[in-house]
Amino acid sequence: MGESIIVVNFKTYQTAQGASAEELAKAMAEIETSARMVASVSAFDLAAVVQAAPDLEVWCQHLDPVGFGSNTGWLSPSTAMERGASGTLINHAEHKVSIEHVAMLLDQVPEGFEVCACAADIEEARALSALCPTFVAVEPPELIGGDVSVTSADPAVVSGTAEAVREVSEGVGVLCGAGVKTGLDVSKAIELGTAGVLLASGVTKAEDPVSALEDLVSKI
Ligand code: G3P
């Protein structure tokens, strides 16, 4: 089994923006674990978070397949990389794009820059995995932000995605997300065939984010 990975998506939670984003990233960097910890941050916060937590892996929440030039308001991969991003989410349930957008982005980013393409279900995961992103993350939209982890509410979508993606390409990692909050949820995700989880509110809305992070890695 490869290295486990925990991606915390900061979304636009107030607890994970601006100075709070820097604090949360520093807390993530200090968690003792063999798992990869990744912060997925707002483009506004990218440079500051990288500076505040230089040893932490930092991803963008979204990128556009644009180069330098006349592209007002779009998020350029080159600039993200210059500012220290080592990867990105794409096609998140809260920021859907076309499959062409994902394909063009993958064509544009250099090898080693990680792209985690999000899918709502097994079929979308299968289609996205054919483009060979680094990861496909399955997140049933109705479970996002809820109290029940996808690993308990719908384990079949997790194991089914892992199987479907493996059939298309052994090189694409699988993550799952929606409602993930505890170390037990993470170990169940791994048991169901994933490399780890993508989560947000379990950390960003936790009373004590450091304890939440410690619990998340406790069974790895
Ligand atoms: O990107 C992670 C996400 O959509 C899941 O959110 O709050 O259910 O962990 P949450």
Side-chain angles (χ1 to χ4, degrees):
M1 201 199 301
E3 211 174 16
S4 306
I5 174 165
I6 295 186
V7 182
V8 180
N9 183 1
F10 288 21
K11 301 196 177 186
T12 60
Y13 281 107
Q14 192 175 5
T15 52
Q17 301 301 294
S20 302
E22 294 170 47
E23 288 314 307
L24 182 54
K26 279 195 236 169
M28 286 180 67
E30 277 165 24
I31 298 294
E32 278 184 38
T33 176
S34 60
R36 284 176 60 191
M37 300 292 271
V38 178
S40 177
V41 307
S42 154
F44 290 122
D45 291 325
L46 179 59
V49 164
V50 168
Q51 202 175 7
D55 296 330
L56 185 68
E57 290 182 63
V58 183
W59 289 1
C60 301
Q61 294 176 10
H62 171 87
L63 284 177
D64 297 301
V66 295
F68 296 123
S70 305
N71 302 293
T72 305
W74 297 80
L75 297 177
S76 148
S78 302
T79 310
M81 281 182 270
E82 189 193 315
R83 292 300 184 182
S86 59
T88 191
L89 301 179
I90 194 67
N91 195 44
H92 191 277
E94 293 150 7
H95 198 152
K96 296 296 279 183
V97 295
S98 67
I99 195 140
E100 291 77 20
H101 182 121
V102 181
M104 285 191 293
L105 181 66
L106 283 163
D107 275 351
Q108 196 177 322
V109 298
E111 211 176 307
F113 185 83
E114 303 202 310
V115 175
C116 175
C118 301
D121 54 31
I122 297 175
E123 279 325 298
E124 194 178 17
R126 195 194 306 276
L128 288 165
S129 61
L131 303 176
C132 293
T134 322
F135 295 101
V136 167
V138 67
E139 298 196 313
E142 67 281 6
L143 298 174
I144 291 178
D147 287 329
V148 185
S149 168
V150 62
T151 52
S152 314
D154 194 354
V157 80
V158 179
S159 54
T161 297
E163 208 179 302
V165 171
R166 244 194 329 270
E167 273 168 24
V168 178
S169 168
E170 293 277 352
V172 178
V174 178
L175 306 181
C176 68
V180 170
K181 289 187 172 47
T182 67
L184 275 178
D185 299 337
V186 175
S187 60
K188 187 75 191 295
I190 293 169
E191 220 175 279
L192 290 167
T194 72
V197 297
L198 169 61
L199 81 152
S201 53
V203 171
T204 59
K205 289 172 84 175
E207 258 175 47
D208 180 350
V210 173
S211 304
L213 288 163
E214 282 168 351
D215 184 32
L216 282 165
V217 301
S218 61
K219 308 265 182 288
I220 294 174

